[in-house]
Each structure stands twice: as C-alpha cells, then as structure tokens.
Amino acid sequence: MRGNCQVNITPQFRVLSDQQVEEIYHAALEVLGRVGTRVFAEEGLALLREAGCPVTDDDLVQIPSWLVKDALNSAPGRIVLAGRDRSNRVVLERNRFHFGTGSDCPSMVDPYTDEVRKFAFDDVYDAARISDALDNIDFHMSLGLTSGVPPKTYDRHQLLAMLKGTSKPLVITAVDREGLSVQYAMACEVVGGDDEFARIPLFVVYIEPSSPLTNSVEAVEKVIFAARKGIPAIYTPCTLCGGTGPGTLAGTMVQALAEYLVGVTLAQLARRGAGVIMGGVNSTMDMATAILSYGAPELALVSAGMTDVAKWLGVPMFSTAGCSDAKILDQQAAIESAFSITIAALSGANLIHDVGYLESGLLGSFDMLVMSNEVIAMAKHILGGVGVTPDTLAVDVIEKVGPGGHYLTQEHTRQHFRREMWLPSLMDRQMRRAWQAGGAKTMADRVRANVLDILEHHRPLPIATDVEASLMRIVSQADERYND
C-alpha cells in the first residue's frame, strides 16, 4: 500500500480561493449594513423591524451582519426534490450537479416550419415532453411563456402544461403570492397533500429581486409565503455588470451576494430552516447592444465564482449554462453551449438552468435543448475523471499483447471499453463515404430529426384522470376571477 497518497476522483476546478470568497462575503455584509436595501412590502419590513433592523421612511433597511449570519446558520445545505413520479429525484448538495431548461422565453422556433412565434400552451407542454425524453435533463422549467391566456394567470396554465408533459422535478415562476399559492395547491393535488409536498417538494419557485438592492412587493411576499409553506425558493438577482451592477466582476458578485442574503434573511425570519437556493444570471451588459449576454465568458466565470461562494456558505447553488446569444442553432450556439455547460459542471453548481435558450434568453429552442443534452452527456463523462488502479493501469495486458499486437480481442478491453469510452448519439463519427451515403446530414439536421421524433412518439407518464380534472378546475377558477 501507499501512504500519504492523493487521488483525484474527478477533475478539479475552482475560480476563487477561500480567502477571496471570504472577502466577497464580508464586502456583501458591509453593503447590507452600511448601504442597505429597499424592501417594498410591509410584511417583509415588519419582520425586519422586529428582528432589530433600522428602517427609514422610504423603506430602506440596513441589515446587521449578525442577523445575516444567523439566517445562514439555519438555512439548509441540502434540498431534495421529486417529480410527480416520486422516484424521479434531484438532490441539491455540495458538488452534485443537475441540468435543466430555463423559463418564460416569449418566442420559440416552430420545429415544423422554422417560424419564430409566441409560445402557446401546447408548445409549453411539448417543451416539457422533450425534457422528459432527454436522459441528461434532470429538471424542467417551462422554457416558454404561455400566451393566449389571462396575463395574471399565465403561471397556472404554465404549471398545468409542465405537469402534463413531464414527471421530472420542476422549477416554476409565479406572478405574485396568489399565483404561487394556487400553484402550491395544484402541486399538493398531484402529490397527494401538503404533508407529502413538505416531505419532498415537487417544485422550487424562482424569485428575482431587482438589482441594484431592491426587493419588490411580489418578490418579498413570494419568498415569505414559500418559507412558510415549505416551498424551496431560489432568490436570485440577474445583475448586468456595468449596468445594474458594478463594472467589475468582483463588485458584481458582492452586490449579487448581498441581494441573495436579503432573501435568505427574510425566509429565515418567516420560518427557520426554509430552503433558499443561491444563484443568479449575472453577466455583462454588452456595451454595444445593452443586452445581458448569455454567451459571454464572464457569465460562466461569475457563475462558477458564485458557486465557490455558495459552497463556502453551505447553501445550494442555481447556475446557468446551455444558452447562447445566437439567433439560430449555429456554430456560435454550439460553442457557447459547450463552454458554459462544461464550466458549470466543473464548478459543482447544483441546479444548472437555461439549457435551450437562444437570442439572449428571448428565444426558447427545442433544437438547442436537444443539442445541449448531448453536450451535457460529454461533460458528465469528463467529470467522471480517470480511474487509476492496478487494473486500469493495464501493465499485465500491455505485456500480454506485446510490441506490434492489438487489444481488440482482449477480455480486458471487453470489460472496460463501454465504461471508459463515451458513445455519442448525435455526434457523427462515420467515414466520409458512409456519411454521404446517409444523406450528408449536418448536426442541425440530426438534432431536428431527434426533436421531431420526440414530439411524434414520446408519451410522458399520464396524470390520473381525476387529478387532471381537479387541476383544470383550479386553473379555470383562477381565470374566472380575472375575467369577471
């Protein structure tokens, strides 16, 4: 045996040292204590006042560092989700990564006509079916924003479409506290009651503060409601470096962390032990176009850095990958997807979302989702690392084959090649003649064929008829309220 031996089971990657993380954390505490944050919800202000926070007449709250530290001490570092198929689980804990789609894109590419158009209910359902069929998509967000329904109840229609389309765990959005309350009732209907939801939640709710350092009525009320009902929440800013955040990456991370810490503090004041996931889509504001760039290397860099912070704090991390500023599935989309997915997986973030985004988050693409599924498979293989054991070192086999031999007939090869070698489903490895004989199909051709095959043949696990009827009744009642 060997003593004092270090073994890397997987590749190692880190952006920030512990000292750098600590500096960012202390700077965020200083921002909350010295600058403060605006909280536009009386319910949240009351909790903060009662906890001892100074509050001004214009709703500016200064949060002392001791209160933030106390909140972090009670926030869980492990959260488990399960889809309506309760065996379909996602475990959020240190360095366990899971990939999923993003939500609420206004437009999509019709897979049959290539027309760019708004998402309808059936398209949100189809997006869920595609996620359901893809082995490397672990959770689902809506991908699209449901049109053709009342604006105040779109979120309930969206959840209905997702529940019908997939049995995987979900991340949802909500218009306001009422919208979240109705969706919670729908989820309890699906899983069999609030006790079962509390045991293993069906979904996480995505909540955004408004950068810089502002918390809307809707955001505050949702995070408090979620805490009290045992709904895990993501409290995540979308900070534009140089726009709604400082013009430096470190400064952007300080502000983003401060904004998250407001959410976790409010949640713990509402109910100690409430799960609040850290994260955000923190990227650069392109100074030529003023967009938040989804393909910028800074997005991957800041996301990985924030993951280092989350792991240091002991809370789960919501990260971003599989997205692009490209308008179609082209070389740019492939480069930006592959780069961001690999970095996100290496970082050890937990919920990695926005797989399938094009056009800087404005376009939900089934093609991008399917192609990125293949990239995720490659990334997972890389993250498997290189096993170094007496068996894998293969000295005896090398001796047996000897100079000039081959390994095709060796039992050692048969035992190991399927595990050691990644086999693609969409990447082409044919010789040119075979590729040409098969129609000389491009990656885009193969991806689209896969999309259409899923749409035409994949059938998700059905919802019980009585449960589906109950869900539709809940949604109809919500519509009627706003149609009156």
Side-chain angles (χ1 to χ4, degrees):
M1 64 179 294
R2 298 189 183 196
N4 198 28
C5 178
Q6 178 175 314
V7 176
N8 285 348
I9 302 299
T10 66
Q12 304 299 296
F13 175 81
R14 215 174 155 173
V15 171
L16 301 173
S17 68
D18 282 347
Q19 183 173 337
Q20 289 174 308
V21 169
E22 194 169 359
E23 289 179 9
I24 289 169
Y25 172 60
H26 287 154
L29 293 179
E30 184 175 0
V31 167
L32 291 177
R34 192 172 88 189
V35 180
T37 183
R38 281 203 160 80
V39 177
F40 295 120
E42 185 52 45
E43 187 176 14
L45 289 172
L47 289 172
L48 292 163
R49 280 195 199 97
E50 187 177 342
C53 299
V55 180
T56 67
D57 291 340
D58 58 350
D59 301 325
L60 183 68
V61 184
Q62 292 174 320
I63 305 178
S65 60
W66 63 264
L67 183 59
V68 175
K69 292 177 181 178
D70 183 63
L72 287 168
N73 284 337
S74 63
R78 185 177 190 270
I79 295 172
V80 180
L81 308 172
R84 57 182 178 83
D85 174 357
R86 306 305 276 165
S87 67
N88 203 336
R89 298 191 179 188
V90 162
V91 179
L92 310 183
E93 62 187 8
R94 185 181 177 92
N95 288 323
R96 290 186 69 163
F97 63 87
H98 310 273
F99 284 90
T101 53
S103 69
D104 294 2
C105 290
S107 300
M108 65 168 290
V109 180
D110 189 299
Y112 293 96
T113 67
D114 280 325
E115 173 194 4
V116 175
R117 57 173 176 79
K118 290 182 178 180
F119 269 91
F121 178 92
D122 287 345
D123 302 314
V124 177
Y125 167 69
D126 283 342
R129 286 201 296 131
I130 290 174
S131 285
D132 195 64
L134 296 176
D135 291 342
N136 297 297
I137 299 300
D138 306 301
F139 66 92
H140 183 68
M141 298 180 77
S142 67
L143 193 63
L145 185 67
T146 309
S147 64
V149 299
K152 288 291 288 183
T153 62
Y154 85 86
D155 50 356
R156 281 137 271 196
H157 290 269
Q158 220 152 268
L159 178 58
L160 177 60
M162 291 191 288
L163 287 169
K164 290 178 65 176
T166 182
S167 60
K168 293 181 179 181
L170 304 174
V171 178
I172 68 162
T173 60
V175 172
D176 51 21
R177 176 169 52 189
E178 180 186 335
L180 178 55
S181 175
V182 174
Q183 291 182 85
Y184 171 69
M186 293 170 68
C188 290
E189 188 75 25
V190 168
V191 301
D194 53 2
D195 287 343
E196 176 61 19
F197 187 98
R199 188 179 74 85
I200 310 179
L202 174 68
F203 61 61
V204 177
V205 59
Y206 174 94
I207 306 170
E208 280 187 23
S210 305
S211 300
L213 298 168
T214 303
N215 305 271
S216 67
V217 172
E218 292 80 8
V220 173
E221 289 183 347
K222 284 188 287 187
V223 78
I224 291 172
F225 179 88
R228 289 176 173 158
K229 291 296 185 180
I231 304 169
I234 302 161
Y235 204 75
T236 176
C238 293
T239 311
L240 284 77
C241 179
T244 58
T248 60
L249 300 185
T252 295
M253 293 172 70
V254 168
Q255 182 183 297
L257 177 58
E259 291 167 345
Y260 162 74
L261 293 173
V262 175
V264 79
T265 301
L266 284 166
Q268 302 312 306
L269 290 174
R271 184 183 68 84
R272 291 184 69 81
V276 185
I277 300 161
M278 187 175 126
V281 185
N282 301 302
S283 187
T284 55
M285 184 179 80
D286 184 273
M287 294 302 178
T289 62
I291 66 161
L292 186 153
S293 175
Y294 276 77
E298 292 85 5
L299 182 143
L301 186 61
V302 172
S303 295
M306 292 297 284
T307 301
D308 290 334
V309 176
K311 288 192 284 189
W312 188 83
L313 293 175
V315 295
M317 176 67 186
F318 182 68
S319 191
T320 308
C323 44
S324 174
D325 298 321
K327 313 306 177 287
I328 61 173
L329 193 77
D330 60 6
Q331 292 90 337
Q332 177 183 339
I335 291 167
E336 291 175 347
S337 171
F339 189 85
S340 62
I341 285 170
T342 303
I343 295 298
L346 283 167
S347 76
N350 304 121
L351 282 175
I352 305 170
H353 81 306
D354 284 355
V355 179
Y357 271 17
L358 291 177
E359 201 174 335
S360 312
L362 296 175
L363 191 68
S365 168
F366 297 168
D367 290 351
M368 182 68 161
L369 177 55
V370 166
M371 183 188 72
S372 295
N373 180 71
E374 182 95 331
V375 177
I376 295 167
M378 296 177 74
K380 287 181 176 179
H381 185 74
I382 292 169
L383 265 290
V386 175
V388 179
T389 67
D391 184 40
T392 62
L393 289 170
V395 173
D396 291 343
V397 181
I398 295 170
E399 179 185 24
K400 184 178 180 180
V401 170
H406 68 80
Y407 295 84
L408 287 173
T409 59
Q410 294 298 312
E411 177 64 18
H412 186 271
T413 301
R414 190 190 67 80
Q415 290 175 352
H416 287 281
F417 85 95
R418 292 187 184 278
R419 182 169 61 252
E420 294 278 326
M421 303 174 192
W422 178 72
L423 299 176
S425 59
L426 292 175
M427 303 293 186
D428 179 73
R429 292 179 175 178
Q430 300 177 90
M431 299 297 289
R432 176 173 290 272
R433 286 184 179 177
W435 173 70
Q436 289 174 329
K441 294 180 180 178
T442 65
M443 182 65 168
D445 294 332
R446 296 189 295 274
V447 165
R448 179 59 64 84
N450 194 187
V451 168
L452 296 179
D453 182 65
I454 293 171
L455 291 177
E456 291 165 13
H457 298 106
H458 180 70
R459 297 293 177 264
L461 181 71
I463 301 176
T465 303
D466 59 330
V467 173
E468 184 173 353
S470 180
L471 295 177
M472 294 179 70
R473 184 168 57 253
I474 291 171
V475 173
S476 296
Q477 290 170 349
D479 286 347
E480 287 170 7
R481 175 175 177 181
Y482 288 100
N483 285 333
D484 291 340

